[in-house]
Amino acid sequence: MAQEVRGVIAPGKDEAVRVETIVVPDPGPGEAVVRVQACGVCHTDLHYKQGGISDDFPFLLGHEAAGVVESVGEGVTDVAPGDFVVLNWRAVCGQCRACLRGRPWYCFNTHNARQKMTLAATGQELSPALGIGAFAEKTLVAAGQCTKVDPAVSPAVAGLLGCGVMAGIGAAINTGNVGRGDSVAVIGCGGVGDAAVAGSNLAGAARIIAVDIDDRKLEKARTLGATHTVNSKETDPVEAIRELTGGFGADVVIEAVGRPETYRQAFYARDLAGTVVLVGVPTPEMKLELPLLDVFGRGGALKSSWYGDCLPSRDFPMLIDLHLQGRLPLDAFVTETLQLDQVEQAFERMHHGDVLRSVVVL
C-alpha cells in the first residue's frame, strides 16, 4: 500500500525549498522502499534547486543517503527488508558493453526506479535528485541502488559515500591510481577535494599538497592528511607545487573545482608523464584551451573521474570497514546535523563555505 511521508521539494528555479507530503508507492519489480536515516546536503542538490541540471521541476532533493530497506519488489534478491544500506545513483545493468567487458563502474545503462513518487496534494510526479530523492522519510529506488554495509557505522557518516566523499576518494584511488610514495596535489578543498586528500593518504602517498583560496579549508585538509598547503590567492600554485616536488611537479594532480583556469594549473603542475584527474564538475558553457604540443610533449594521462569510478558493491563496504577500523576518518566530513526543515539554511551555509557537509538526520 502506498505511503505518505514528508520530503523536501524544490518547486521551481531558485525558489526556496519546502517540506511537503509525498506519496511513495509500493515497490514494483526490481525496486525497494528505503526508510531514510540520514542524508547529506550536496552541491548537486543546490544545482537542482537552481535549475542547473534540468528543468524537470518539482524535484525531490537529497541523494547522499543511508537507511534501512523496508520492502522490496518482485525479483529482488541482493537486499532484503531490514538491511542497512547506502544509496547510490548508478545501479549498474550488468548487460551493457562496459559491464560485459568487466568494467561495470563505466556502466552505460545505469537505472533508477521506474515508478514515480508524487505530491500528495496534487498527484504531480516528482523528479528525484540523481534518481534517489532522499530528503524524505522514505524513498523509492531501484534495488541496485542499495548497497549493504556494516550497520555498526553511523548513518550520517555512511550516507556521505553516496556522492561527494566517494567521488573524491575514488578520484585518488580508482582514477588517479595513487600509490605508495607518490606525490599528489589536490586543487580545491571542499568536500570532494578533502576526500581526495583522505584517499591519497589512505593509498600511502608520501606528499599531499592541498591547494585552495580559503585558509579554513586548507587547515581542514591538513587534518585529513595533507602534508603541505598552498593558498593560491597568495601564491602561484604551479610554482609552489613544483617547488615542493623537487622542481618536477606532482605524480598525480586532482582538480576538484571544475574550472578551466584551475584545470590549466593542474595540467602544468604535474610531472612529465604524470596524471591529471578532473573530478570537479564544469558548467556547460566552459571551454578549455591548451597548446596541443604541450599535451603531446608532456605525455602521461588526462582523466575524468565520474563518481570516483566507483563500483558501490565493491567500494562502499570496503571504505566503511576501513572507517570502523579507524583508518579512514569519514566522520571528519560531518560539520553539522540538521532536520528536514533546515535544508534551505544548509544551502546558505554551503554557499558561504561555512561547512564541509551538513547532514539531515531523520
Side-chain angles (χ1 to χ4, degrees), residues 67-71 80-85 151:
V68 175
V69 176
E70 183 177 88
S71 58
D83 286 342
F84 177 68
V85 296

Side-chain angles (χ1 to χ4, degrees), residues 40-45 62-65 86-89 130 132 158-170 191-192 195 279 281 306-308 310 316 357:
V41 183
C42 176
H43 275 88
T44 303
D45 293 306
H63 60 279
E64 288 187 346
V86 176
L87 300 184
N88 73 80
W89 45 272
L130 291 178
I132 294 177
L160 299 183
L161 292 179
C163 190
V165 170
M166 183 69 251
I169 293 175
V192 174
V279 68
V281 182
W306 205 48
Y307 205 2
C310 82
F316 288 4
R357 265 302 184 270

